[in-house]
Amino acid sequence: MAKGLYVGVAGKARKVKKIYVGIGGKARRVKKGYVGVGGKARLFWSGGELDYYGTATPLSGGGILPIGVSIGSYALFACGRSNPFTTTSDLYNTSLVHSTIVFPDTRYSASGGSIGNHALVAGGFPHYKTVIAYNTSLVYSYLQEFSHEHSYAAVANVGDFLIFAGGSEDEDRDSSYDPSNYVDIYNTSLVHSNSTNLHFVASYPVGASTGNYAMIAGDYKKVGAFNSSLVYTSYLTDLSTDGIRRGGAQVGGYALFTGGYTADTNVVNAYNKNLVHSNPMALSTTRTILKGLSIEGYALFAGGQGLDNNEYFLRDTVDAYNVNLVRSILPPLSEKKAGPGAAVVGDYALIAGGGLNVAGSNDFKSVDVYTA
């Protein structure tokens, strides 16, 4: 458990969240502070350690598979399913104060990411090609559409680019959703372009970044990487296990991918900044439809669905990996759920909503908060 340090500001005690010291002309973050008591070192402050903060105001909008994106001083959750469908989106500021805005249409299975001063919410059913950008004042605009349809596309940043890759499409409108390998890209000026397609098709790919690469992991074992010049690399060590609906996150110099439907696995695949593959300590539980999230030197993997005697059940487990890929188990979510949305705002990681991909089924609204 982290220990607190407070300072007086305008007659009130304010908790110190971060402390830095100068070393070699650079600011280095202090993670622990000690004082001598009776000839022994006693911990009086710890920062940079991840811990459970509590719950925030529940979602007002749809809680099934919402998209979480960070934009300016807000975490935005949008496009979750509910019964009936809703256009309400939820906002949390750096003090975790909750508010709502109206999303301009109704969609689900969308993807979201941040680039420059904008957050993009894109694709999904039935607006497969439509891309909406929010600025830091939460004013939205429509961007040039995707060149191809994307539902459940993977999202990853590299350099000045935000990449949307793979996912499902229904080009012939016969309700037969096909996995794709298409790639659409937006730069910091929100200009659209295309790049080399993935060398595999995937209905539920996931993205994460490492060094100068954006990595995309497919439904089974395939993985590819784009560098900051958008040159694509396919000659990588495959993921160690099959899996669908993994979680992806980055920490330190690593991109991490774990979980998966096919094997219902807890194996963690790590790629360093040179794209060298390894398997750090596995998740504490096997699961799929989990959520990956990165905050302040940690990668979190939260919630999901487990398998026991051929029956699926929900998880409340949260595993964290530090920059050395050492795993810890955090306090659990306030309720068991699969497919939550996740976003970071200020010092907080928010894990919001969740449920099965069936409208009206397990439509969770809770918002769990972790802080470093």
Side-chain angles (χ1 to χ4, degrees), residues 337-358:
K337 52 190 177 181
V344 172
V345 59
D347 295 317
Y348 301 109
L350 279 62
I351 300 168
L356 301 180
N357 191 20
V358 179

Side-chain angles (χ1 to χ4, degrees), residues 56-64 66 77 90 92 98 352-354 364-367:
T57 303
L59 296 178
S60 303
I64 300 176
F77 294 94
D90 293 87
Y92 298 84
H98 173 260
F364 297 111
K365 305 284 191 179
S366 60
V367 179

Side-chain angles (χ1 to χ4, degrees), residues 86-352:
T86 176
T87 57
T88 301
S89 297
D90 293 87
L91 294 167
Y92 298 84
N93 68 13
T94 53
S95 298
L96 300 181
V97 175
H98 173 260
S99 58
T100 61
I101 56 174
V102 176
F103 193 77
D105 58 47
T106 300
R107 67 176 75 188
Y108 61 90
S109 67
S111 300
S114 300
I115 181 76
N117 293 319
H118 291 86
L120 276 60
V121 180
F125 176 84
H127 304 283
Y128 295 104
K129 293 184 178 181
T130 306
V131 181
I132 294 172
Y134 283 90
N135 65 18
T136 54
S137 299
L138 301 177
V139 176
Y140 73 84
S141 58
Y142 287 89
L143 304 186
Q144 181 177 333
E145 291 188 339
F146 286 150
S147 301
H148 299 278
E149 295 186 348
H150 295 275
S151 241
Y152 298 113
V155 184
N157 293 83
V158 62
D160 294 328
F161 301 101
L162 180 65
I163 296 173
F164 295 87
S168 301
E169 59 171 340
D170 186 21
E171 295 277 11
D172 53 10
R173 295 297 180 269
D174 63 355
S175 296
S176 175
Y177 299 99
D178 300 314
S180 80
N181 64 345
Y182 299 124
V183 176
D184 285 270
I185 299 167
Y186 294 85
N187 66 14
T188 53
S189 299
L190 304 184
V191 176
H192 171 268
S193 62
N194 296 108
S195 184
T196 305
N197 290 338
L198 303 176
H199 68 293
F200 54 86
V201 296
S203 295
Y204 303 102
V206 64
S209 302
T210 176
N212 292 317
Y213 292 95
M215 302 195 69
I216 310 295
D219 291 345
Y220 297 101
K221 291 185 177 181
K222 296 300 181 184
V223 62
F226 293 89
N227 69 14
S228 56
S229 299
L230 301 181
V231 176
Y232 181 67
T233 299
S234 61
Y235 300 103
L236 302 177
T237 302
D238 285 347
L239 302 170
S240 301
T241 55
D242 284 340
I244 296 177
R245 307 194 81 159
R246 291 185 171 92
Q250 50 267 358
V251 61
Y254 297 92
L256 306 181
F257 303 103
T258 187
Y261 226 123
T262 301
D264 198 41
T265 180
N266 62 344
V267 174
V268 177
N269 292 271
Y271 293 84
N272 69 13
K273 63 182 180 180
N274 297 315
L275 303 181
V276 176
H277 174 266
S278 61
N279 294 117
M281 188 176 185
L283 295 178
S284 59
T285 58
T286 59
R287 49 202 152 122
T288 186
I289 324 180
L290 69 168
K291 190 65 181 183
L293 175 66
S294 302
I295 179 175
E296 288 290 342
Y298 290 91
L300 278 67
F301 294 99
Q305 216 169 249
L307 178 65
D308 186 26
N309 294 325
N310 294 320
E311 300 223 353
Y312 286 100
F313 59 92
L314 297 175
R315 298 279 198 189
D316 58 7
T317 314
V318 181
D319 291 290
Y321 291 82
N322 67 15
V323 295
N324 297 313
L325 302 186
V326 176
R327 191 205 72 194
S328 57
I329 302 174
L330 299 181
L333 301 172
S334 58
E335 57 187 346
K336 297 178 180 180
K337 52 190 177 181
V344 172
V345 59
D347 295 317
Y348 301 109
L350 279 62
I351 300 168

